[in-house]
Amino acid sequence: MAPEDAPGRRASDRGTYGKLSRERVLVAALGVVDAEGLSALSMRRLGTELGVEAMSLYRYLPGKGALLDGLVEALFQQVEEHLAREAGDVPEGGGAPEAPDVPGTGAPPASRAAPETQAVPQAQPGVPEARPGSEGPGWRAGLQRIAHAVYAVGLRHPEVVPLLATRMLSVPLARRPAAVLRVDENVLRLLHEGGLDTATATAAHRAFTAWLLGYLLVDLRAMVDAPEEPDPAFRLGLHRLPAHDFPRLRESAPSLAGRGGRAELSAGVDALLDRVIRGAAGAR
């Protein structure tokens, strides 16, 4: 543990913006990461943001790992709020209250923020159901809504998205935040509602999670080499790729630099579910 992240003597937890809480600390942490990137986050940096000594933060988050898990939790709480808001269960701007007037907690700057897509309506917070006019059976529509909610929140907080993969590798299932587990539970519930047995639903859950996370990471991958360059080829740094070694990559780079967006996300989920259904039917 770095010296700046080590707990020490008891310090005041009343900062520039009032008395601390776990929620206030996580809101500030999310703002720091949105604005400056994940590498900028430390207990010292967070203490500075909140106007307290770093050691006072350990009352709410016992270490850097807990802080990173808290960021994942905050993202999935926003997914649930997104679903509830689109269902009309939470007023616009509702959901869990955020600590007011903490610098860096608003929309991330243009240099880091990804454009937000319009959300797909949900029926209940974290428990999507079909609505009249939804395409396909209710369980499929519910999975599409979850996918679009995760995608929309990920685009709002692109610097936090890598944690969705890395923390999954280091945090056992039973120790993951409840907001994360609720999304997993609802995906499995919807798959069972689609008539899948436990083994098939488990395989489908694995495939759905892999597609959603992979799609989000690919859509957010770094492509621009020189942001100040107006010429697309120089902006993407194609002069660094020898034409005789990477002809197809050079040709495709401008298209790869764009995002697949909601349409390709939906098409991928549909293709995945079609394959699951065919496989389940063939096993009967």
Side-chain angles (χ1 to χ4, degrees), residues 256-281:
L256 292 174
R259 290 198 172 98
R262 293 175 56 187
E264 288 188 15
L265 174 64
S266 291
V269 172
D270 277 337
L272 184 153
L273 296 178
D274 286 343
R275 180 174 180 179
V276 167
I277 292 171
R278 286 197 302 270

